Amino acid sequence: QVQLAESGGGLVQAGGSLRLSCVASGRTVSSYVMGWFRQAPRKEREFVAGISARGGNTNYADSVQGRFTISRDNTKNTVYLQMNSLKPDDTAVYYCAARGGTTLTRSRGLYDFWGQGTQVTVSS
């Protein structure tokens, strides 16, 4: 089993930045694909960004491309999401997820483990 714990959320003004962290425990995730998803009120959970096991490949939702950066430090069993130029539409609960397979995917159904989420609120 893998336990994931997100942190770094909060309230920020539009145009500001936040850095989310996701620390894994229970098992090393150095061989796992990692992803960030978000869920706004009354909306489905959506893919934000993903990163391959060694960090060589990344993938982003069109809505965050160029503003968000996903990275990982396998020595710390941690994945990060740097969010810049935040917009009110980025307001959501952000979730970290881990996938035991090797294929980087946007499909939330293919991720095996999930964190509890961290709230990000962007004011206009």
Side-chain angles (χ1 to χ4, degrees), residues 4-66:
L4 302 172
E6 303 95 337
S7 64
L11 174 63
V12 64
Q13 288 189 333
S17 298
L18 283 174
R19 188 195 197 201
L20 305 183
S21 299
C22 170
V23 179
S25 60
R27 182 181 298 181
T28 179
V29 292
S30 60
S31 62
Y32 284 67
V33 169
M34 301 296 294
W36 285 98
F37 290 75
R38 67 186 181 186
Q39 187 167 16
R42 299 175 297 280
K43 292 187 177 181
E44 290 192 357
R45 192 171 298 188
E46 64 176 3
F47 173 83
V48 175
I51 189 167
S52 59
R54 294 191 176 185
N57 292 317
T58 58
N59 192 272
Y60 297 92
D62 291 346
S63 59
V64 306
Q65 180 76 50

Side-chain angles (χ1 to χ4, degrees), residues 61-118:
D62 291 346
S63 59
V64 306
Q65 180 76 50
R67 299 187 298 122
F68 292 10
T69 302
I70 188 171
S71 61
R72 66 191 299 163
D73 184 341
N74 286 340
T75 66
K76 297 181 179 179
N77 235 19
T78 301
V79 178
Y80 305 97
L81 185 67
Q82 177 67 42
M83 305 186 296
N84 298 329
S85 302
L86 282 161
K87 306 174 181 180
D89 283 349
D90 294 319
T91 295
V93 177
Y94 282 71
Y95 297 89
C96 175
R99 179 170 189 265
T102 58
T103 303
L104 183 53
T105 177
R106 298 185 175 200
S107 176
R108 66 178 186 266
L110 295 180
Y111 285 79
D112 304 299
F113 304 101
W114 293 84
Q116 293 298 308
T118 184

